[in-house]
Structure formats: C-alpha cells, structure tokens
C-alpha cells in the first residue's frame, strides 16, 4: 500500500473535496464527456489526467471505463491492473477488470477476477453474471455456471433473459451429447 493513498472511491472523493489533486478537474471533465457520449474527448482528457497525476488510481479507473466503451478491452485491463496495483482492492475494480477480460475473451482470468469481486461484494449482480458467463464459456461446471447466473438474475432481474439463453444453450449442448 502506498502511504496516504485512498483505498476506496469514497475515500478518494473525500480527499479531493479537501484538497483537489492536479488531475481532479481534468478527471471531472473526462467523466462529463464520457457521460455525454464524447468518448474521444473523454479519452484525451483521461490521458492528460493520467500524465498530470500518474499516482492517482481514479484517473486509470476512469480511463478504463472510456477504453472499455471504445472497445479497447486490453487497454481497459491494463488500466484496471494499475488501479489494483495501486492498492484499490475494492470489488468494483475487480469486477470492471473481469468485464474487460471477458470482452478480451480471457475467460479464466475473467472468472478469477469475477470470483474475487463477488466475494468482496456478494450483492454485485454483474460480478455474478460475469462469473457465470466466463464459467460457461470455459465449458466448466454448467450447474455452477447456471447457479451463478441465477444469483445474478435474482439480484438484477434484467439479467434473467441472458441467464435463460445460456440455460437453453447448455441444455442443447447436454442434450446433443447424450
């Protein structure tokens, strides 16, 4: 752990409220641009923010979100690895990296990070969803994958359709193997 480093987004925000970092204004501009859908501007501002304060994990978490939205899963994984390496061992960081790893088709690594994210925050439906999807992509324990997808759908009903399509696909695979 880096001495004095905020270990959670809430702690980071409290520190920024007390004494904004050199990158804070750039980071806020990047976040606004991302929310407005201007991903190129968001990425450019995030890159300037990262150069302004390369020790701040939040600038890399923000840039990872932008890169992920732009379809750059490897770039998002690299930035989220920096976030985690800087001491942010929060579930969201692992879930975000699991999502980027899943998009990069690195199923086993996605499953590992999603398992950790679900352990750190058992109410994170997206972590359970990524875990179940990665497990199903690996051709692992289908019952376990479906249980994880069931848990995700119970926490976030909008995921039920995805769970059902995986259940149908797994049923066809199992049915075809008989």
């Amino acid at each position: 752990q880096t001495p004095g480093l905020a270990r959670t987004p809430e702690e980071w925000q409290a520190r920024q409220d007390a004494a904004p970092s050199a990158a804070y204004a750039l980071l806020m501009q990047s976040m606004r641009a991302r929310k407005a859908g201007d991903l190129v501007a968001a990425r450019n501002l995030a890159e300037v923010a990262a150069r302004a304060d390369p020790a701040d994990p939040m600038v890399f978490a923000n840039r990872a979100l932008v890169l992920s939205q732009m379809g750059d899963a490897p770039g998002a994984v690299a930035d989220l690895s920096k976030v985690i390496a800087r001491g942010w061992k929060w579930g969201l960081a692992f879930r975000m990296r699991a999502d980027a790893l899943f998009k990069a088709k690195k199923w086993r690594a996605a499953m590992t990070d999603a398992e950790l994210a679900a352990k750190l925050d058992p109410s994170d439906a997206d972590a359970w969803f990524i875990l179940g999807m990665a497990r199903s992509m690996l051709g692992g324990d289908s019952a376990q994958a479906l249980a994880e997808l069931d848990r995700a759908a119970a926490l976030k009903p909008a995921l039920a359709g995805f769970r059902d399509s995986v259940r149908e696909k797994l049923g066809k695979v199992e049915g075809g193997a008989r």
Side-chain angles (χ1 to χ4, degrees):
Q1 291 281 39
T2 304
L5 178 67
R7 288 182 297 266
T8 67
E10 296 78 19
E11 187 178 333
W12 177 87
Q13 187 61 57
R15 287 183 185 207
Q16 295 303 316
D17 290 345
S21 72
Y24 184 69
L26 293 164
L27 181 58
M28 294 297 105
Q29 290 173 17
S30 175
M31 289 176 166
R32 283 191 294 276
R34 182 177 62 81
K35 287 181 181 175
D38 189 350
L39 298 179
V40 172
R43 182 195 60 215
N44 293 342
L45 287 162
E47 288 172 358
V48 174
R51 286 192 298 274
D53 192 352
D56 186 343
M58 187 61 88
V59 299
F60 295 102
N62 176 64
R63 187 169 68 183
L65 284 171
V66 174
L67 293 174
S68 183
Q69 282 185 281
M70 294 179 88
D72 181 0
V77 169
D79 274 355
L80 290 162
S81 294
K82 290 175 186 173
V83 170
I84 292 165
R86 283 170 171 77
W88 282 24
K89 305 292 192 242
W90 37 289
L92 181 59
F94 287 102
R95 193 247 292 152
M96 288 170 58
R97 189 169 70 175
D99 182 56
L101 286 162
F102 188 87
K103 289 175 181 172
K105 299 183 181 182
K106 296 183 184 262
W107 317 125
R108 189 158 315 279
M111 197 169 90
T112 299
D113 273 8
E115 281 177 322
L116 187 50
K119 182 179 179 183
L120 291 168
D121 182 1
S123 67
D124 186 340
D126 294 322
W128 289 105
F129 178 74
I130 296 165
L131 179 56
M133 291 300 293
R135 191 178 309 278
S136 73
M137 296 303 288
L138 284 168
D141 183 348
S142 339
Q144 181 67 31
L146 289 172
E148 291 156 353
L149 293 170
D150 284 341
R151 185 153 186 189
L155 292 165
K156 189 175 184 179
L159 295 174
F162 294 105
R163 177 212 48 212
D164 295 344
S165 67
V166 171
R167 177 169 279 135
E168 183 179 318
K169 179 183 172 194
L170 290 173
K172 287 179 183 176
V173 170
E174 290 174 4
R178 291 182 184 164

